[in-house]
Amino acid sequence: MMGLGYIGLPTAALIASRGLKVTGVDIRQSVVDTINKGEIHIVEPDLDGLVHKVVKDELLQAAIKPNSSDVYLIAVPTPFKGDYEPDLSYVTSAVKSIIPTLKKGALVILESTSPVGTTRKMEKLIFEQRPELKGNLYLAYCPERVLPGNILHELKHNDRAIGGIDDESTQKAIDFYKHFVVGTLHPTNAKTAEMVKLVENASRDNQIAFANELSIICDKANINVWDMIALANKHPRVNILNPGTGVGGHCIAVDPWFIVSEFPDESPLIKKSREANNYKTEWVIEKIKNNALTFKSDHKRDPIIACMGLAFKPNIDDLRESPALYVTETLENKNFTVLAVEPNLKDSDDRNLTDYKEAVNKADIIVYLVAHKEFINLKTNPNKSILDFCGVLKK
Ligand code: SAJ
């Protein structure tokens, strides 16, 4: 398993728990050391116990470099760089590091979210250096589609699309995933599987963009967007998602750009959805600023603003690409008096956090950015100004 992050480590542990010997490879020595002690470096329910067990049973071992294996899985990050261009350097370097260890009959599976055509590029890279393996190597793309916080369950139970560079590769990969997946394994080709992954997240981004646009329209029309959506969703064929502070995380806010960068002329809607969701975050900031200015002119002093939630979605501690964090930091940088609240982060983390109950007592303006469970039914002074961007007051 190349890469021991949010996807690689749970997958490696799950495979090992089925009795297969797994070498987990990561370029970070600290990660390798932690795992070999039977411990973990990420937050994910039930993962610690599973890793502890498979390491103790000598089924999972972590290492800095790969060894010769029957099956290779690549689950390394594919961020974007500069002008939303996909950065394939981690995938390329993982492939390069396995090339010298490959033997005839090996199966290589790419799981990292990747632009269409990446599996073919990987094939080219391998055969340039090891031409004798042509016809004797199986290659496939198989994206993960798990939700952080529920990874171990979803890894096992979700259906998967599996696309080889040829039919034999597809079948070999399906036979491999049967060891640990009970969901249906759907055969396809590599290109289609690559596109499926990107489209899943672009589709969700597009649907959230629609909800976010509705929230801005309803704000102007003085209609409660949450009530309106709940009623619209009573229609049997309508299912509108939730508006929010914007779209965060390392998947939905990133993957649609992989389509746009490769097919710029054909993807105006996908691009527009990304822009609409980014715009929603800026709109939230403007709303808070206007509220603060009104407070100042009424009370002749600056307001204290409680920013409720920093994570990229409810009930997690993950701050990656978080719109709530962006809103809070933007206000701080503009010298507003801000109390940052994130009940999922400990005090020891190097951030100046305020307890959520203390924050709502002290603040003049309470801004709900993330619908964490702690904020539902939280008692607040009805005379205070409350801005709810995530619908927590409706929950
Ligand atoms: N969000 C809204 N409104 C909604 C739903 C979500 O504003 O109605 C926001 C969230 O607050 C968050 C962002 O969207 O900021 C993304 O959250 P999410 O829960 O929709 O998804 P992720 O990023 O945690 O995981 C997604 C999942 N993809 C889909 O649901 C299509 C997951 O299954 C993928 O495996 C993951 O991306 C990935 O790794 O690609």
Side-chain angles (χ1 to χ4, degrees):
M1 170 63 71
M2 305 299 293
L4 294 174
Y6 275 91
I7 303 302
L9 180 58
T11 309
L14 189 63
I15 297 170
S17 75
R18 305 291 298 156
L20 303 181
K21 279 223 161 204
V22 182
T23 307
V25 181
D26 203 286
I27 52 172
R28 296 162 294 178
Q29 185 67 51
S30 61
V31 169
V32 170
D33 294 342
T34 304
I35 291 164
N36 283 336
K37 276 190 264 168
E39 293 166 10
I40 61 173
H41 61 292
I42 54 178
V43 179
E44 180 59 34
D46 303 329
L47 184 61
D48 47 354
L50 187 67
V51 169
H52 184 78
K53 184 172 186 321
V54 290
V55 170
K56 197 173 101 245
D57 293 348
E58 294 181 3
L59 289 163
L60 173 65
Q61 194 183 23
I64 279 282
K65 288 206 164 97
N67 50 19
S68 191
S69 306
D70 299 310
V71 183
Y72 297 80
L73 288 119
I74 299 173
V76 295
T78 42
F80 55 54
K81 52 182 181 190
D83 254 357
Y84 299 119
E85 288 295 319
D87 176 1
L88 285 178
S89 58
Y90 295 97
V91 171
T92 309
S93 94
V95 173
K96 282 185 179 158
S97 76
I98 65 169
I99 289 177
T101 74
L102 290 172
K103 57 190 181 201
K104 282 186 179 175
L107 169 64
V108 182
I109 301 165
L110 178 62
E111 286 209 2
S112 307
T113 305
S114 302
V116 173
T118 306
T119 313
R120 283 282 173 199
K121 278 192 189 149
M122 194 169 86
E123 179 193 21
K124 199 164 160 261
L125 192 66
I126 294 172
F127 291 151
E128 266 167 13
Q129 291 186 35
R130 300 283 306 274
E132 82 283 5
L133 288 174
K134 272 188 195 164
N136 287 304
L137 199 68
Y138 304 101
L139 280 155
Y141 182 74
C142 179
E144 56 73 27
R145 37 166 64 144
V146 294
L147 207 63
N150 195 26
I151 295 183
L152 285 174
H153 177 86
E154 294 208 359
L155 268 180
K156 196 169 164 188
H157 294 275
N158 287 357
D159 283 12
R160 296 187 80 131
I162 302 184
I165 53 163
D166 49 40
D167 291 346
E168 261 190 303
S169 296
T170 307
Q171 195 49 52
K172 285 268 177 199
I174 287 180
D175 291 343
F176 173 68
Y177 280 100
K178 274 186 190 156
H179 286 291
F180 62 99
V181 175
V182 298
T184 308
L185 303 168
H186 301 272
T188 180
N189 55 54
K191 232 176 160 178
T192 307
E194 288 162 345
M195 188 62 108
V196 162
K197 170 67 188 179
L198 301 178
V199 163
E200 285 168 2
N201 282 345
S203 148
R204 193 150 168 88
D205 195 45
N206 173 263
Q207 290 173 43
I208 299 169
F210 182 70
N212 277 334
E213 186 163 300
L214 293 180
S215 71
I216 296 174
I217 295 169
C218 285
D219 183 74
K220 191 158 190 183
N222 206 11
I223 292 168
N224 183 301
V225 68
W226 311 98
D227 291 343
M228 191 280 292
I229 289 177
L231 289 172
N233 282 348
K234 300 281 179 215
H235 184 290
R237 285 171 298 283
V238 173
N239 185 16
I240 303 169
L241 293 182
N242 298 312
T245 307
V247 169
H250 41 108
C251 307
I252 296 183
V254 177
D255 300 358
W257 290 117
F258 289 12
I259 303 177
V260 175
S261 82
E262 211 177 343
F263 306 96
D265 297 336
E266 294 78 15
S267 59
L269 186 62
I270 294 172
K271 184 173 184 213
K272 193 74 211 158
S273 303
R274 221 32 331 276
E275 288 168 350
N277 284 328
N278 284 343
Y279 171 71
K280 178 65 193 287
T281 310
E282 300 297 339
W283 183 87
V284 166
I285 293 170
E286 283 310 304
K287 275 272 160 196
I288 302 169
K289 275 165 52 182
N290 288 339
N291 210 274
L293 287 177
T294 308
F295 181 95
K296 192 171 180 178
S297 83
D298 290 351
H299 296 82
K300 310 292 172 239
R301 66 171 175 88
D302 288 327
I304 299 172
I305 305 170
C307 284
M308 306 294 284
L310 301 179
F312 87 81
K313 65 178 186 177
N315 308 323
I316 58 165
D317 66 346
D318 195 335
L319 301 179
R320 285 177 291 179
E321 311 283 330
S322 169
L325 180 66
Y326 176 76
V327 169
T328 306
E329 289 183 342
T330 305
L331 294 172
E332 283 168 349
N333 292 339
K334 292 193 185 302
N335 293 324
F336 286 93
T337 308
V338 172
L339 302 175
V341 174
E342 182 40 77
N344 297 293
L345 284 178
K346 291 189 197 77
D347 294 340
S348 56
D349 293 299
D350 58 11
R351 212 169 276 280
N352 195 5
L353 297 175
T354 305
D355 171 73
Y356 64 97
K357 286 184 186 150
E358 186 187 332
V360 293
N361 282 336
K362 279 191 181 162
D364 302 300
I365 303 174
I366 300 165
V367 182
Y368 289 108
L369 297 170
V370 190
H372 288 314
K373 60 181 185 323
E374 290 82 356
F375 305 159
I376 300 170
N377 297 325
L378 188 59
K379 295 257 177 311
T380 49
N381 180 341
N383 298 322
K384 288 189 178 179
S385 178
I386 297 178
L387 300 174
D388 179 10
F389 295 108
C390 54
V392 75
L393 301 179
K394 282 285 158 192
K395 282 184 190 276

